[in-house]
Amino acid sequence: MLDSLAHGLRECASKPIIGPRLQLDNFLDNMLRSRISRRVLAEQHIHLENSNAKAIGIISTELSLYEAVHYAAQRTRQVCNETYGRSPDIIVSGDVRAVMPYIPMHIDYMLYELMKNSSRSHPALCLTMSPPRAMHSHILLSKSPRRKCTIRDSKKKHRAMWHKKDSM
């Protein structure tokens, strides 16, 4: 559905009268946000009956950051090996006991996409170095007393952060 929508919007944008007036980025952002929001609400409502000590509906109350990062790293390495014939060593360190409430499906998707995009640059970069270097990514997990979880690639300055408000 989204591919058809994007194709139709690109076609409209190419028209000389309509094209310059369209604000496609805002439209697509709002459309995706709305679609994701509706899906989360529907899934949460359906799964509320299955709540237990570790989950309220689809929200895991004790999501292990280490397990989430480790799972995304395994998927990333598999894709890199299949695509490039090699993959970076992904080292996870820091507070491996850190947990937080979150939707596992969403964090899996975000972490995988971040690692996959980061890992795409590794093969080309490492092979151009003289001498060629091994590929490494170091992911540092931390949880501060202020209820902020940080997952950071320690070689790069990119960060992904999740905040839990105290009022929740």
Side-chain angles (χ1 to χ4, degrees):
M1 177 193 104
L2 291 176
D3 289 339
S4 299
L5 178 63
H7 179 71
L9 289 170
R10 276 194 299 271
E11 188 176 319
C12 288
S14 68
K15 304 295 180 189
I17 296 173
I18 301 172
R21 294 187 183 145
L22 284 178
Q23 295 178 353
L24 294 181
D25 288 340
N26 289 338
F27 175 77
L28 286 175
D29 286 347
N30 289 335
M31 177 70 123
L32 286 172
R33 191 176 303 113
S34 175
R35 185 170 184 257
I36 291 168
S37 298
R38 275 189 248 121
R39 182 175 173 176
V40 167
L41 286 172
E43 286 180 358
Q44 178 67 1
H45 180 72
I46 291 167
H47 288 88
L48 274 174
E49 291 180 0
N50 303 332
S51 296
N52 58 46
K54 293 189 175 188
I56 301 171
I58 61 171
I59 301 167
S60 172
T61 56
E62 296 178 16
L63 180 75
S64 167
L65 290 176
Y66 175 79
E67 288 178 17
V69 169
H70 185 70
Y71 177 69
Q74 285 179 322
R75 288 179 55 208
T76 301
R77 293 196 69 199
Q78 179 183 357
V79 167
C80 285
N81 280 327
E82 291 170 2
T83 307
Y84 305 112
R86 56 189 292 193
S87 65
D89 292 327
I90 300 174
I91 302 159
V92 182
S93 66
D95 187 357
V96 296
R97 293 169 294 141
V99 294
M100 66 180 216
Y102 212 82
I103 301 171
M105 201 174 4
H106 289 200
I107 198 166
D108 289 343
Y109 177 77
M110 290 184 291
L111 289 171
Y112 171 67
E113 287 298 320
L114 286 169
M115 286 185 205
K116 183 178 72 171
N117 291 339
S118 172
S119 297
R120 280 184 181 164
S121 65
H122 276 81
L125 179 65
C126 292
L127 290 175
T128 59
M129 294 179 176
S130 182
R133 293 188 185 168
M135 300 182 292
H136 297 286
S137 281
H138 185 175
I139 308 225
L140 179 64
L141 303 175
S142 67
K143 184 160 183 161
S144 72
R146 296 177 301 189
R147 297 183 168 199
K148 179 173 74 173
C149 295
T150 304
I151 298 173
R152 178 177 176 216
D153 183 332
S154 63
K155 289 186 177 183
K156 298 180 181 180
K157 300 299 181 204
H158 305 294
R159 292 182 180 198
M161 292 187 197
W162 293 272
H163 299 279
K164 179 183 175 202
K165 294 183 181 178
D166 291 326
S167 61
M168 294 178 86

